[in-house]
Amino acid sequence: METALTPPLPGGTWKLGDSTVTRFGYGAMQLAGPWVMGPPADHDGALAVLREAVGLGITHIDTSDAYGPRVTNELIREALHPYPDSLFIATKVGATRDAQGGWPTARRPEDLRRQVHENLDSLGVEALDLVNMRMGDAQGPRPDSIAEAFETLAALRQEGLIRHLGVSNVTAEQVAEARGIAPVVCVQNMYNLAHRQDDDLVDHLAADGIAYVPFFPLGGFTPLQSEALSQVANRLEATPMSVALAWLMRRSPNILLIPGTSSTAHLRENIAGAGLSLSDEDVAELDGVGRA
């Protein structure tokens, strides 16, 4: 059963493969404990955020079995299973966790098959809606071939364990390489008002009907700070973070937002922020932040 906000969620919808999702989604990473390790401090609160997200009409949730590990997937399952037909859950593979909270890569075919089955098990589904192949490292994309890893996921898709494929933390060349192997429905890279390195890629993907999903849309562990951002926010009587989300929503129709939070109040604030109306003058001023 589909539900909707009144007024509706900002940005409308986008087609991910054969599924239509809300452009405003929800990223579940912050539901895990500190540094994305262990359980949340408020278990019931985490469940409430997930239920609130779906209750407000969000149909796109982003997660990974590496978050916790297993924590966010198991929370999603506890809060929302059996899942509404409208709900689209994206996950990712390519990294695991170590005892120190690090993210060592795990991209051999056997690693990827294991991670896909772990996601299937923890989410309680027979097929994953979307699996993003994450490349690079914590410092960003690296110019390695994506072929072997993506071919493994393409085979799992042929087996019926994955419905759609995406790529994450990748270069434009890796996107092209992956698209030569199997259909790619989305690219998930770091991108926000101050980090505009993917401007050309965003536009290229939009022309081809492929979604672009920014991670760290608000700056991640280093929140966005800019004099221009603060000036526009003051003029609109809004928070800088609200303006940053609204700018992303305005930037291109193929951008899907997945800001994370562990608070229902903050979730609603993010939705309201993404729905801010920016004038052409506001956008021009903000565009200068990442191009300075």
Side-chain angles (χ1 to χ4, degrees), residues 10 13 21 25 73 76 111 113 150 156 174 200 230 240 253 277:
T13 60
V21 303
N73 279 8
I76 289 168
D111 295 329
R113 285 184 170 272
F150 205 69
L156 290 165
Q174 288 167 330
D200 290 342
S230 297
S277 178

Side-chain angles (χ1 to χ4, degrees), residues 78-164:
E78 182 179 353
L80 303 174
H81 196 277
Y83 304 116
D85 291 341
S86 60
L87 186 61
F88 188 99
I89 300 176
T91 188
K92 62 187 68 65
V93 295
T96 185
R97 305 304 299 277
D98 59 28
Q100 291 72 43
W103 302 79
T105 59
R107 299 184 189 129
R108 296 174 301 175
E110 58 268 31
D111 295 329
L112 298 174
R113 285 184 170 272
R114 185 193 72 251
Q115 290 169 70
V116 165
H117 282 281
E118 287 171 347
N119 276 281
L120 288 165
D121 179 64
S122 56
L123 287 169
V125 295
E126 294 182 355
L128 299 167
D129 291 330
L130 167 66
V131 175
N132 284 307
M133 181 61 237
R134 182 171 173 83
M135 299 296 291
D137 55 30
Q139 280 67 54
R142 293 290 178 264
D144 307 314
S145 172
I146 198 173
E148 182 182 41
F150 205 69
E151 285 167 358
T152 301
L153 295 189
L156 290 165
R157 177 175 172 266
Q158 288 294 110
E159 293 171 25
L161 299 181
I162 301 171
R163 293 178 54 222
H164 301 101

Side-chain angles (χ1 to χ4, degrees), residues 116-241:
V116 165
H117 282 281
E118 287 171 347
N119 276 281
L120 288 165
D121 179 64
S122 56
L123 287 169
V125 295
E126 294 182 355
L128 299 167
D129 291 330
L130 167 66
V131 175
N132 284 307
M133 181 61 237
R134 182 171 173 83
M135 299 296 291
D137 55 30
Q139 280 67 54
R142 293 290 178 264
D144 307 314
S145 172
I146 198 173
E148 182 182 41
F150 205 69
E151 285 167 358
T152 301
L153 295 189
L156 290 165
R157 177 175 172 266
Q158 288 294 110
E159 293 171 25
L161 299 181
I162 301 171
R163 293 178 54 222
H164 301 101
L165 298 175
V167 291
S168 177
N169 206 33
V170 289
T171 65
E173 292 74 21
Q174 288 167 330
V175 174
E177 186 180 17
R179 293 182 68 187
I181 296 168
V184 171
V185 303
C186 75
V187 173
Q188 188 177 107
N189 275 2
M190 182 175 179
Y191 183 81
N192 55 51
L193 184 64
H195 296 86
R196 304 282 297 278
Q197 68 284 348
D198 272 0
D199 269 342
D200 290 342
L201 181 60
V202 170
D203 296 336
H204 178 70
L205 294 173
D208 287 347
I210 297 173
Y212 186 95
V213 185
F215 65 75
F216 293 158
L218 299 177
F221 299 114
T222 306
L224 295 174
Q225 297 182 47
S226 157
E227 182 178 350
L229 177 59
S230 297
Q231 288 174 348
V232 173
N234 290 336
R235 206 158 57 230
L236 297 175
E237 298 182 343
T239 67
M241 297 301 97

Side-chain angles (χ1 to χ4, degrees), residues 20-51:
T20 299
V21 303
T22 52
R23 284 184 63 208
F24 190 96
Y26 173 72
M29 185 174 71
Q30 290 189 29
L31 294 182
W35 302 104
V36 203
M37 287 290 285
D42 182 356
H43 182 89
D44 290 344
L47 299 181
V49 171
L50 289 162
R51 290 168 180 152

